[in-house]
Amino acid sequence: MRGKRLIFFLLTLLMVLMAAGCRAPGGKARGKESLKLGLIPVEDNFPFFVAEQEGLFARAGLKVELVPFNSARERDLALQAKSIDGEVADIVATALLRKGGTPVKIVSLTMGATPSEGRFALVTRPGSAVSRPEQLRGATVGISENTIIEYIADRLLQGAGVEPGSVQKVAVPQIPERLQLLLGGRLEAALLPDPFATLAEKKGGRVILDDTKIDRNLSQVVLIFREETIKEKGPAIKKLLQVYAEAAGLVSSHPDKYRELFITRARIPAELKDTYLSPKFSSPGVPAKTEVADVQEWMVAKKLLPAAYSYEELVDPTFVPAGRENK
């Protein structure tokens, strides 16, 4: 009898120790305060790099792993494979992931609350005679097909009175290659994000259309998570956004302090390292219903989606302060 009691006691003790081992200090399950976030090393994601350097994640009680990817495709495949919890992407990518069977939702913008955030420009080659949008009719224009890049190009052209079908679109997915084809004269124009648009200007290109010069932001960047992560790690996501807001404020207020980090982590071209400035970032908020609807309208017309998702299917507004929908 004594032996049975001893075995029972030892089994009970083992179970208690195993349960304690699965919990962090303060009684919180370890996994619930950890997040794996997929990022491409570009300026859009810079506040996350600042938060990592300044120890803001640890200070908030979070374990955040910033997982680098060289392309959006690699990043999206990792999310589909559940190798990461979330990623910084765009509305087109969000809808395509959901269509592909990975239920994800936008929890916040990370860039694009105002038109001045996140510049994309349609730039002509050095020496081009094109100086007005209408002169692009029949010209070769480098884009990344069926992505946010093509959406921006189409909407910029339409806003200038040019039918997108009147230009010769050339699919060049990799931005550095698109820039080189433009500078080499093999493209008449190309849609480029900063800092590549600025570099093209520096090398003799001319900006024909600029999405920071219109009354809406076409290139909104969003933070998305799988729905199961939202359910399991909601408090951690909320903390992450609070940390992001703090880091974004640091970047906007003290850009010189983080200049070396910016040049390195955002992969700023060497020719611009002394002159190119980091962008300003707004506090977290969700994209407006009109923006989500417009992107999907374009996707349906392109046959990328059979039908548009509802706003509620793509956006979870519960992680940002009420009223932070960007108009």
Side-chain angles (χ1 to χ4, degrees), residues 208-248:
I208 301 299
L209 293 167
D210 182 334
D211 79 338
T212 65
K213 306 300 183 185
I214 59 177
D215 61 359
R216 53 179 290 216
N217 193 303
L218 296 170
S219 54
Q220 293 188 327
V221 184
V222 295
L223 178 61
I224 66 175
F225 285 96
R226 297 194 314 273
E227 284 189 354
E228 62 183 281
T229 301
I230 291 174
K231 290 176 183 176
E232 295 172 2
K233 301 184 179 183
I237 293 172
K238 196 171 187 68
K239 284 184 181 179
L240 178 73
L241 286 173
Q242 291 169 348
V243 168
Y244 177 85
E246 182 179 355

Side-chain angles (χ1 to χ4, degrees), residues 58-111:
R59 194 184 306 166
L62 286 173
K63 180 183 178 182
V64 177
E65 182 180 351
L66 303 180
V67 184
F69 293 96
N70 289 320
S71 71
R73 176 172 170 75
E74 291 175 3
R75 178 201 64 199
D76 292 348
L77 287 173
L79 189 64
Q80 290 172 321
K82 300 185 179 182
S83 299
I84 54 176
D85 296 306
E87 65 179 40
V88 177
D90 55 68
I91 299 172
V92 172
T94 304
L96 288 177
L97 281 164
R98 196 167 189 92
K99 176 192 172 187
T102 303
V104 293
K105 283 191 174 182
I106 296 166
V107 299
S108 179
L109 291 170
T110 58
M111 181 180 275

Side-chain angles (χ1 to χ4, degrees), residues 27-321:
K28 294 183 178 179
R30 282 180 178 171
K32 292 187 182 295
E33 295 296 294
S34 66
L35 291 167
K36 282 189 176 183
L37 197 60
L39 302 177
I40 297 174
V42 293
E43 66 176 36
D44 306 4
N45 302 319
F46 188 51
F48 288 110
F49 301 134
V50 170
E52 182 180 56
Q53 176 175 285
E54 295 291 352
L56 301 184
F57 296 130
R59 194 184 306 166
L62 286 173
K63 180 183 178 182
V64 177
E65 182 180 351
L66 303 180
V67 184
F69 293 96
N70 289 320
S71 71
R73 176 172 170 75
E74 291 175 3
R75 178 201 64 199
D76 292 348
L77 287 173
L79 189 64
Q80 290 172 321
K82 300 185 179 182
S83 299
I84 54 176
D85 296 306
E87 65 179 40
V88 177
D90 55 68
I91 299 172
V92 172
T94 304
L96 288 177
L97 281 164
R98 196 167 189 92
K99 176 192 172 187
T102 303
V104 293
K105 283 191 174 182
I106 296 166
V107 299
S108 179
L109 291 170
T110 58
M111 181 180 275
T114 65
S116 63
E117 294 178 8
R119 179 182 184 235
F120 279 75
L122 197 57
V123 188
T124 60
R125 63 175 174 80
S128 172
V130 174
S131 60
R132 301 188 307 278
E134 59 269 24
Q135 293 176 307
L136 288 169
R137 293 187 180 99
T140 54
V141 177
I143 51 123
S144 178
E145 194 175 27
N146 298 333
T147 67
I148 195 71
I149 293 285
E150 188 176 9
Y151 166 75
I152 295 167
D154 283 2
R155 289 298 189 248
L156 282 175
L157 289 167
Q158 288 169 338
V162 178
E163 178 56 42
S166 69
V167 305
Q168 296 182 50
K169 293 179 183 175
V170 180
V172 188
Q174 298 299 323
I175 295 171
E177 182 184 358
R178 199 182 316 146
L179 173 64
Q180 290 307 314
L181 289 176
L182 179 73
L183 296 178
R186 295 175 64 184
L187 294 170
E188 191 65 36
L191 196 286
L192 297 167
D194 260 342
F196 297 96
T198 296
L199 182 57
E201 281 185 275
K202 183 180 177 66
K203 290 182 175 291
R206 178 188 289 119
V207 172
I208 301 299
L209 293 167
D210 182 334
D211 79 338
T212 65
K213 306 300 183 185
I214 59 177
D215 61 359
R216 53 179 290 216
N217 193 303
L218 296 170
S219 54
Q220 293 188 327
V221 184
V222 295
L223 178 61
I224 66 175
F225 285 96
R226 297 194 314 273
E227 284 189 354
E228 62 183 281
T229 301
I230 291 174
K231 290 176 183 176
E232 295 172 2
K233 301 184 179 183
I237 293 172
K238 196 171 187 68
K239 284 184 181 179
L240 178 73
L241 286 173
Q242 291 169 348
V243 168
Y244 177 85
E246 182 179 355
L250 290 174
V251 173
S252 298
S253 303
H254 310 287
D256 291 340
K257 178 179 178 181
Y258 301 105
R259 180 147 193 83
E260 185 175 339
L261 181 68
F262 179 62
I263 297 301
T264 303
R265 298 302 297 271
R267 292 187 178 176
I268 304 304
E271 297 96 324
L272 301 178
K273 67 182 181 64
D274 296 324
T275 56
Y276 187 76
L277 302 177
S278 64
K280 293 185 180 297
F281 298 86
S282 295
S283 299
V286 289
K289 292 181 179 180
T290 52
E291 296 300 334
V292 175
D294 187 65
V295 170
Q296 292 190 91
E297 179 183 309
W298 175 83
M299 294 179 74
V300 170
K302 290 275 295 177
K303 302 189 185 312
L304 297 176
L305 290 178
Y309 292 104
S310 69
Y311 184 78
E312 291 71 23
E313 286 178 296
L314 289 185
V315 180
D316 185 336
T318 60
F319 292 96
V320 298

